[in-house]
């Protein structure tokens, strides 16, 4: 059974940094796609970063490119999202999601592409 567990959310001031973690278990091998999604109040869930653990390839939404970094550690089972220069627009619930199906990168930023989801972790950006 595939499970994803997020951690690391919290409150940070604008301009600050946070690191989120997603611990993945249950896949039969270490080749799968993990994405981080953000859902702000009143908005649709949107992908911010995607990584393919098979070769480490990554992609980012334009809104976070250059500020967020998705990376893998612990033999691929732990995926981190390092978030720097945070703004109030970055606030929301952050979810990690996983699938074994590789597709065009634009498709892999869609929530509908993912089968497995974590429970989410809250990020608050406020003075």
């Amino acid at each position: 059974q595939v499970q994803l567990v997020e951690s690391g959310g919290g409150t940070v001031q604008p301009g600050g940094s946070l690191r989120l973690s997603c611990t993945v278990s249950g896949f039969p091998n270490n080749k799968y796609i993990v994405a981080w999604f953000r859902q702000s109040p009143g908005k649709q869930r949107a992908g911010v970063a995607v990584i393919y653990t098979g070769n480490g390839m990554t992609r980012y939404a334009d809104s976070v490119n250059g500020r967020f970094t998705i990376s893998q550690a612990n033999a691929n089972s732990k995926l981190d999202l390092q978030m720097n220069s945070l703004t109030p627009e970055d606030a929301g619930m952050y979810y990690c999601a996983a699938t074994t199906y590789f597709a065009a990168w634009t498709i892999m930023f869609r929530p509908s592409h993912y089968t497995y989801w974590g429970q989410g972790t809250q990020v608050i950006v406020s003075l």
Side-chain angles (χ1 to χ4, degrees):
Q1 181 179 355
V2 174
Q3 291 186 321
L4 287 77
V5 179
E6 301 101 334
S7 61
T11 301
V12 64
Q13 293 185 352
S17 298
L18 275 178
R19 179 182 287 262
L20 307 182
S21 294
C22 176
T23 301
V24 181
S25 61
F27 280 112
N29 59 47
N30 63 354
K31 295 181 180 180
Y32 45 87
I33 296 95
V34 173
W36 282 96
F37 286 84
R38 175 174 67 212
Q39 187 160 23
S40 305
K43 294 185 178 180
Q44 292 185 336
R45 194 170 297 189
V48 297
V50 180
I51 186 169
Y52 173 51
T53 63
N55 60 13
M57 288 181 62
T58 59
R59 290 293 188 275
Y60 300 92
D62 289 344
S63 61
V64 307
N65 197 21
R67 300 187 298 121
F68 289 16
T69 302
I70 187 171
S71 61
Q72 54 191 32
N74 291 351
N76 304 330
S77 64
K78 181 171 172 284
L79 290 305
D80 290 340
L81 183 69
Q82 177 66 41
M83 306 186 296
N84 299 327
S85 302
L86 286 162
T87 73
E89 289 69 35
D90 295 316
M93 282 294 289
Y94 280 73
Y95 300 88
C96 65
T99 181
T100 57
Y101 295 101
F102 200 90
W105 287 102
T106 54
I107 293 175
M108 293 197 290
F109 276 87
R110 300 174 186 172
S112 59
H113 184 67
Y114 293 86
T115 304
Y116 306 102
W117 290 84
Q119 80 287 354
T121 186
Q122 184 79 44
V123 171
I124 299 170
V125 183
S126 179
L127 291 172

